[in-house]
Amino acid sequence: MALSAADKRALRTGISVGIAVAAYGVSFGALSVAAGLDIWQTCFLSLVLFSGGSQFAVIGIIASGGAAAGIPAIASSTFLALRNGIYSMRVAPIVGDGPWWRRIVAAQLTIDESTAVAIAQDEKSAQKVGFWTTGIAIYIGWNLATFAGALLGNLVGDVNKFGLDAVAAAAFVGLLWPRLKQLQAAAVAMVAAVLATILIPFTPPGVPVLAAAVVALVFGLTNWLHREPAAQVQPDDASEPLDTPGFHPGHEGAAS
């Protein structure tokens, strides 16, 4: 079956996004080995968990707290992965009905990027192409890159001397930065960062991350600082003709 022009655009977008995102897997693999996991544990984590933010959270907490930080690490990654469950409500109509195994695969591939590429398409068929292409490209690329990074980290040894210990934090900042355009998102990030910084010296590893997640929940449930866009007042053609002084089509408030 031939692909339409919209399908081909979605295919190209999915592949390009997949290649770009997969590059993060190298840093995850190297940092995971540095945190104490071996190569196969690192690869298994990528194969099963497959959520970049959650994976970085797990190894970050394990690196700072060892095996005793297992429960906080799992709790933190779960908080971060809850968004994927919300994405599934939007993605389900795109994936459509099918055999049980396809729904399981779709659930595993429902991540930030596959959802974003899918809903950015106008046509239903292109949405499906975008979702599956992006999800599959990232899954394959991320796991191959994780393996390569784990091998690199294992050969390098102490990654701190190369500055790779800062990659996890940099990856988080990279994921967070584009989302700080709204006042509420910026406020959540600031309050959560301050709270986590205060708690770090006094609490076990993982607790500051959980506390920061609670801040996001409080802001979200109470809708603090969220501003609805002001309604645009459309001029009444009957009461204000186009040649009225001061009214110029194309300026703010002009009829579209």
Side-chain angles (χ1 to χ4, degrees), residues 26-27 29-30 33 39 145-159 162 164:
V26 175
S27 61
V33 170
I39 294 177
T146 294
F147 180 61
L151 286 176
L152 175 65
N154 194 52
L155 292 174
V156 167
D158 183 12
V159 299
F162 296 97
L164 294 179

Side-chain angles (χ1 to χ4, degrees), residues 190-208:
M190 184 176 299
V191 174
V194 171
L195 179 61
T197 302
I198 293 173
L199 292 177
I200 285 174
F202 309 105
T203 59
V207 172

